[in-house]
Amino acid sequence: AVLRHLLSSGLVWNEKIACLQQLEMVLQSHDDNPMFSSDLFDMFNDVIIGEIGDAHYKVASQAMETLCAAMRNPQSGYYLSHYLESLIPALFLRISDSKEIVRSHASEALGIIKDKNDPDAVMQGLVGATRACKAVKAQCAIMVYFEEVFATYKGSSGNSWRSMLAFCLRMATNKNPEVREHAVAACARVYYSGKVAAVEAALSGLPTSPRATVRKAIETSVRPTETVSSLSEAIACPDEEDSSAQSGESQMSISMMKDEADGIPVTDISPVNSDAEDALEDLDVSSRPSASEDTQDAGALRIAQLQELAATLSDTPSEEAFRCLSEIDSALLALVPVDDHNRLGVAVWSGFLKVIRAEKIDEDLACAACSTIISYFNLIPKERIEENIDSVIEILLKLNAAPNYELSSVATGAGIQLVKAADPADSYSTLAPLLPDADKMPPFQGDDARYACCVLKFFRPCLRKISAPQLRAALDMSMPSLCRCFESPHPEIRHLSLDCIVSIQQCVGRDATSDFTQSMTKTQQKLIEIQCQKS
């Protein structure tokens, strides 16, 4: 009856407070209440969301006090755990309120939610808050809260933290310095926890210009003496002397992890620093360090276990299996024969193809598959890649246009690594026809512009590997389109096409491209010349 009364119109602020206080008294009792039901809490959620947003600060404050009482009650707290996707955004909308009492109660409610609920469920609510909150203080608070929640993760298979990571990386390019500072700190927390591959995959979705800057900021913010621990991971950090002695080299963070699939402790060695020019660092399996027979046997056993897990992907691909395979240990791989590398790579490749070629793509599964395959391209025989490159690039370009930002980012990263691993001539012949039609005005808006940008991102690494004779013979396939794109009012298309033209000139020489660039303005030609000198 109280809830229905609150939902009715015409109540003044003091009447609302009286009703909310009455609800709070009921909820403060921890005895099982037979009246509690899903339907009742549907109504309760609607009431609380509405009153948290009330213009009168006393009503909003009392609504949050009532919510705190409900979250502390085990019975009502269980029901409310299903409404976090609406409750958390509502609370963050008041976290930057001008009244201290409102901010305090919003912070208290968020603290209880964090302590009483599964981290992945909280992350899902946070993703909703990123869409609802545009105020600087609210966005900063969201990223601080993300850090706190991420620190409590217990290895859940959920993907919401990846969506939050993608949001923080976007905020790392924000014009507001306070937002950038909190965003970089949040990304560094994920990076330093051992999720290097996830951060690198998400970074590949950023435009080229800010990507290196954001990566450097994240790496700089990681303090060698700082340790981030969770129930599933313990990260050992290099001290400051080691860090300074190895300046400019790839630092290694060693984490002892428990493999849930087989119960065998595994030492995971992951690179912390990466090449600023590449979105994702290629695996180095060429060097083979000396090792004892026991270590070699352990490596062979581990590879056999990974192969067994990868073999299941061709029949029943699962997100859990892809996640287990995603953190590959290159030092361990160096202990076993190359043939075993190839068998493992082919098994993961087969599972990846099955997922992305499904009639109806599961986005979470596709995210896991794309994130994992990025680490395995160096283990897949080139002939296997070349058999499927046309269809895979076509699918990855479609996934890049997905509204799911995380899926779009990892699909772009997978495409870039695919082109790097494939024969450059094959990549060129596949991608050049996909460039915008030079005889028509290139698409500069919406999904068409996004598609064009993705094709150019895939095309760029191919130009850095192809031989001069091969490229010189096929300039007609790409240069007309690239020159037209260089006239685009869309800044990213213009920037990417400039990169491609510069790469071509560096490969075949300026004279070979003069027939295509002679129609450009002197300013455009000068810009290309300057970029060639810088590169």
Side-chain angles (χ1 to χ4, degrees), residues 45 48-49 52 64 67 71 80-96 105-107 109-133 138 141-143 145-146 149 160 164:
N45 181 63
I48 290 297
I49 294 295
I52 287 175
M64 287 184 277
L67 176 61
M71 294 301 301
L80 287 175
S81 66
H82 299 93
Y83 299 94
L84 298 183
E85 289 188 46
S86 56
L87 289 170
I88 290 176
L91 290 168
F92 272 106
L93 285 170
R94 300 310 297 255
I95 203 74
S96 57
H105 282 136
S107 179
L110 287 166
I112 296 171
I113 286 173
K114 180 190 68 176
D115 295 338
K116 299 284 186 180
N117 292 278
D118 176 72
D120 195 61
V122 178
M123 289 286 189
Q124 290 174 22
L126 262 183
V127 172
T130 64
R131 302 188 190 103
C133 302
I142 287 170
M143 289 183 283
Y145 194 70
F146 167 59
V149 176
S160 298
M164 283 303 303

Side-chain angles (χ1 to χ4, degrees), residues 26-33 69 71-75 116:
V26 173
L27 292 164
Q28 282 174 342
S29 171
H30 284 206
D31 296 332
D32 286 349
N33 192 324
M71 294 301 301
R72 290 191 183 101
N73 183 314
Q75 190 182 7
K116 299 284 186 180

Side-chain angles (χ1 to χ4, degrees), residues 34 116 124 139 167-168 175 244 273 288 295 301 315 394 464:
K116 299 284 186 180
Q124 290 174 22
Q139 289 178 335
F167 166 77
C168 292
K175 62 182 180 181
S244 60
N273 291 329
R288 295 180 174 273
T295 307
L301 175 62
D315 296 323
E394 182 182 353
R464 293 171 181 169

Side-chain angles (χ1 to χ4, degrees), residues 422-429 459-474 503-504 507-508:
D423 180 79
D426 288 341
S427 299
Y428 187 95
S429 60
F459 196 52
R460 187 170 46 185
C462 157
L463 296 173
R464 293 171 181 169
K465 294 182 65 179
I466 194 169
S467 69
Q470 288 174 323
L471 182 55
R472 193 176 289 111
S503 295
I504 289 173
C507 180
V508 300

Side-chain angles (χ1 to χ4, degrees), residues 397-398 400-401 412 431-432 434-437 441-460 481-482 484-485 488 490 492-497 500:
L397 286 169
K398 289 179 181 177
N400 174 263
T412 302
L431 289 165
L434 300 178
L435 292 168
D437 191 339
M441 179 60 69
F444 299 140
Q445 295 180 348
D447 290 341
D448 287 338
R450 191 172 175 182
Y451 181 89
C453 286
C454 192
V455 173
L456 290 166
K457 286 178 184 178
F458 289 2
F459 196 52
R460 187 170 46 185
S481 176
L482 293 173
R484 190 66 187 275
C485 286
S488 166
H490 191 289
E492 189 173 6
I493 290 178
R494 196 166 59 246
H495 176 76
L496 289 167
S497 59
C500 291

Side-chain angles (χ1 to χ4, degrees), residues 276-443:
E277 293 184 357
D278 293 326
L280 296 166
E281 188 173 48
D282 289 333
L283 293 173
D284 180 11
V285 295
S286 58
S287 60
R288 295 180 174 273
S290 60
S292 66
E293 290 184 4
D294 290 343
T295 307
Q296 290 177 341
D297 290 343
L301 175 62
R302 178 60 180 153
I303 292 299
Q305 291 165 344
L306 289 174
Q307 286 172 337
E308 185 177 351
L309 184 60
T312 66
L313 296 177
S314 59
D315 296 323
T316 53
S318 71
E319 189 178 343
E320 181 182 0
F322 276 117
R323 297 295 181 204
C324 289
L325 288 159
S326 64
E327 298 296 337
I328 190 167
D329 185 343
S330 57
L332 182 146
L333 283 175
L335 301 175
V336 296
V338 173
D339 287 346
D340 287 339
H341 296 178
N342 293 343
R343 280 194 290 272
L344 178 58
V346 168
V348 178
W349 177 245
S350 299
F352 167 75
L353 293 178
K354 187 177 181 68
V355 170
I356 65 170
R357 287 174 172 171
E359 187 174 341
K360 185 177 181 181
I361 293 179
D362 181 319
E363 290 193 355
D364 288 342
L365 186 56
C367 278
C370 289
S371 297
T372 301
I373 199 64
I374 285 169
S375 301
Y376 281 82
F377 277 120
N378 279 10
L379 309 185
I380 305 168
K382 279 196 174 182
E383 58 270 19
R384 290 298 187 102
I385 293 175
E386 289 160 10
E387 288 172 3
N388 301 280
I389 187 170
D390 292 358
S391 60
V392 173
I393 283 179
E394 182 182 353
I395 294 169
L396 291 175
L397 286 169
K398 289 179 181 177
L399 293 179
N400 174 263
N404 182 324
Y405 184 82
E406 183 193 357
L407 178 56
S408 174
S409 297
V410 295
T412 302
I416 291 170
Q417 293 305 305
L418 169 64
V419 171
K420 287 182 178 180
D423 180 79
D426 288 341
S427 299
Y428 187 95
S429 60
T430 299
L431 289 165
L434 300 178
L435 292 168
D437 191 339
D439 295 330
K440 301 176 182 178
M441 179 60 69

Side-chain angles (χ1 to χ4, degrees), residues 94-103:
R94 300 310 297 255
I95 203 74
S96 57
D97 196 272
S98 59
K99 295 289 185 180
E100 170 63 29
I101 189 171
V102 175
R103 297 197 300 272

